[in-house]
Amino acid sequence: MKNLLSTRPRQIVFVLSIILLILVIAVTSLFFFFRTHALPGAKIGEISVGGQTQAALAQTLKSHQADQQVQLTVLDADPQPVVLAEAGVKVDEAATVDQVLAASRSVGGFLRGLFGTVQIEPVVTVDDAAFGTFADSLIGPEQSGAVDAAAVYDPDSGTFFAKEAQPGQTVDRDALRGELERAAQSLQPASVTAPVSVQDPAITTEAATAAVQEANHFLTAELTLNDNYPDSTSPDHDTRVSWIEFKQGDDGYHPTLKADLVTKWAQDFADETTDQPVNGLRNVDASGNVVATSLPAEDGYGVNNVAEVAPAFEQALRSSSDLSFDFTYDDLPATWTDRPALPGTEDWIYRPAEGEKWLDLNLTNATVTAYEGTDVVGGPWYMVPGEPRTPTVDGEFNVYLKYELQDMRGENVDGSKYLTEDVPWVTYFHGGYAFHGAPWRSSFGWTGPGGSHGCVNMQPVDAKFIYDWADMGTKVVSHY
């Protein structure tokens, strides 16, 4: 060893080697230390964070942004303090800390951080919903957004008029978002001016005026619905007004008809003109032969083009044309239900089914009897039928109308008019023929001169039984 170090050059080399080894060890130690610490020259925005651990870095960021405010100016109003977090703009602490430590872990970043500055930009996130709510709040009533023109109905004049449009102001959201993000990255108080621009209305006064002219014509054009008979109907003024609404579409601002309301109006009229089928009831014997018709079947008809009314009306109005629209109809066929006639009734005037309600009107002995099947449930009651010149109709009929009390009017044989007020317990079974109470009569159970105009006169208590008991459609067999 003495010989080895005997020369001076060798001594210098040895010393330098030792120094280099120490430097390598020191640099290596620093490199591993700063893998978990911020580099000495690290800065987040304007904040020096050199040597801080991951936890310390997170706390530094949290403390600086917790109440970070900007002074925000909107239009000519005084600046107002805004907490960035409440505007939805925040520094992502975890992501920013990761960036600081990532710089420490690269050789280049490590060397720059030892002998210079490593600038880290905070990672900023924006909550779109919170930012949108904040941006919407910046333009208040005193700096309102644009007001669209609109067509408005005036009930006094019975016409529409145009409410004028007004331009407004709106915040440039993208520009404001960028300003707030930059303020958040500095982690320092800042002043920001909200970029504001003029907002044009989506519906102009000119467009609304043209729509009003079109709508007012809608109120005057002739629209008529015609049914299967020589009857028709037209919408009144208020109904037309209720139909009209204004919509902004690709082709501009125009009035249109509310199809659902037009269709309902048309359907209501169609229902009045529709004749629903009456499904029949028949009584059959053991062989299936029809031996009695309890309720005759009657075909009906119904409107089939109600859905075409609304588009036809709107097309006519848009072309400034009057329109008379005709309903068309489908036949509604009736059906039959057969049920067995009761055995043992082969020689009866009527062959009923089990439990069937029916009335036996005997014009020979002037009685009325109520049956359910073959069981007598009322009567026989004595009555007075029509006199010889106005006889009571005979045949098979069905109850179709009832009145608890009715004024009866008619014509006498000599052509004079009669009026009988407050006739009680009226049950119609054919045309103007009915069972009813006749409190003005003192005797019943006879026929001939002095009889009725054709109705079946009964004691009020007996007429009330029929009124209460007989359902609509109950069979009436009138015979001699």
Side-chain angles (χ1 to χ4, degrees):
M1 178 64 72
K2 183 177 180 179
N3 293 332
L4 180 64
L5 300 177
S6 61
T7 63
R8 185 174 182 81
R10 289 179 177 176
Q11 292 176 348
I12 293 173
V13 170
F14 179 76
V15 171
L16 290 176
S17 297
I18 295 300
I19 293 172
L20 180 60
L21 178 61
I22 293 171
L23 286 175
V24 169
I25 293 172
V27 170
T28 301
S29 299
L30 287 173
F31 181 75
F32 281 101
F33 174 80
F34 284 111
R35 288 177 66 84
T36 57
H37 292 70
L39 292 167
K43 295 181 70 175
I44 302 176
E46 300 300 321
I47 304 170
S48 296
V49 293
Q52 293 187 10
T53 64
Q54 182 175 3
L57 288 168
Q59 184 58 43
T60 297
L61 289 172
K62 185 183 295 294
S63 62
H64 276 80
Q65 75 160 332
D67 297 314
Q68 186 184 4
Q69 294 184 350
V70 297
Q71 295 295 317
L72 181 65
T73 301
V74 182
L75 297 174
D76 297 327
D78 293 335
Q80 296 294 322
V82 174
V83 176
L84 287 175
E86 295 176 358
V89 181
K90 296 181 179 180
V91 171
D92 186 328
E93 296 166 4
T96 303
V97 169
D98 285 345
Q99 287 205 152
V100 172
L101 296 181
S104 301
R105 293 172 185 138
S106 70
V107 175
F110 169 70
L111 294 176
R112 286 194 301 274
L114 287 179
F115 305 108
T117 300
V118 176
Q119 188 69 47
I120 306 297
E121 293 296 334
V123 178
V124 176
T125 61
V126 180
D127 182 322
D128 291 332
F131 175 74
T133 300
F134 168 73
D136 289 340
S137 70
L138 297 180
I139 299 295
E142 67 279 4
Q143 303 110 8
S144 61
V147 177
D148 290 337
V152 180
Y153 180 70
D154 177 19
D156 293 333
S157 66
T159 58
F160 290 94
F161 69 94
K163 181 180 178 181
E164 292 189 356
Q166 295 181 3
Q169 294 162 319
T170 185
V171 171
D172 185 335
R173 293 193 177 199
D174 291 339
L176 175 62
R177 180 179 180 133
E179 293 287 339
L180 295 182
E181 287 179 337
R182 284 187 286 274
Q185 286 179 332
S186 72
L187 292 173
Q188 301 294 324
S191 295
V192 174
T193 298
V196 177
S197 60
V198 174
Q199 181 184 29
D200 292 326
I203 302 172
T204 65
T205 301
E206 292 75 17
T209 300
V212 161
Q213 293 175 348
E214 192 175 1
N216 284 333
H217 180 76
F218 282 15
L219 299 178
T220 59
E222 291 295 330
L223 301 173
T224 306
L225 274 185
N226 303 306
D227 69 1
N228 202 28
Y229 299 101
D231 292 330
S232 62
T233 186
S234 294
D236 61 24
H237 184 85
D238 289 343
T239 298
R240 288 171 181 249
V241 170
S242 71
W243 288 352
I244 297 173
E245 63 180 344
F246 295 83
K247 290 184 177 181
Q248 174 74 353
D250 294 339
D251 59 345
Y253 185 64
H254 294 287
T256 184
L257 294 188
K258 298 178 182 177
D260 57 335
L261 296 185
V262 179
T263 300
K264 182 182 182 304
W265 174 82
Q267 186 63 61
D268 289 344
F269 185 53
D271 291 343
E272 295 177 12
T273 73
T274 294
D275 190 4
Q276 295 293 341
V278 177
N279 296 323
L281 288 173
R282 298 182 297 199
N283 301 338
V284 298
D285 62 16
S287 300
N289 300 312
V290 176
V291 295
T293 299
S294 177
L295 182 65
E298 297 179 12
D299 292 339
Y301 52 83
V303 178
N304 60 19
N305 62 338
V306 169
E308 299 174 14
V309 174
F313 273 16
E314 180 150 6
Q315 182 179 1
L317 293 176
R318 292 202 182 283
S319 62
S320 301
S321 303
D322 296 339
L323 176 64
S324 181
F325 186 95
D326 294 329
F327 278 150
T328 56
Y329 294 79
D330 285 330
D331 291 333
L332 303 176
T335 61
W336 285 97
T337 298
D338 293 340
R339 54 193 181 177
L342 287 171
T345 59
E346 290 78 6
D347 296 329
W348 286 43
I349 190 69
Y350 178 73
R351 298 198 61 184
E354 179 71 31
E356 178 185 354
K357 290 182 178 182
W358 63 287
L359 288 163
D360 182 355
L361 173 55
N362 192 319
L363 300 175
T364 298
N365 62 20
T367 62
V368 178
T369 306
Y371 286 91
E372 291 184 10
T374 56
D375 296 330
V376 175
V377 295
W381 300 291
Y382 290 114
M383 58 81 174
V384 176
E387 67 155 309
R389 292 176 299 175
T390 56
T392 300
V393 66
D394 64 315
E396 294 187 8
F397 311 100
N398 298 87
V399 172
Y400 72 92
L401 183 64
K402 297 195 291 185
Y403 292 104
E404 184 175 334
L405 202 67
Q406 184 186 28
D407 292 344
M408 286 189 167
R409 294 176 173 82
E411 188 174 287
N412 295 307
V413 175
D414 62 6
S416 61
K417 306 294 183 182
Y418 72 85
L419 167 62
T420 305
E421 297 180 343
D422 297 333
V423 178
W425 314 119
V426 183
T427 302
Y428 284 96
F429 59 89
H430 178 67
Y433 296 90
F435 303 96
H436 64 74
W440 57 88
R441 291 192 182 275
S442 59
S443 64
F444 298 87
W446 54 270
T447 65
S452 74
H453 292 87
C455 284
V456 180
N457 288 190
M458 305 180 71
Q459 295 189 61
V461 65
D462 301 335
K464 183 179 186 305
F465 179 93
I466 292 178
Y467 177 89
D468 291 337
W469 171 83
D471 303 319
M472 292 297 177
T474 296
K475 189 72 176 183
V476 177
V477 182
S478 178
H479 64 97
Y480 288 96

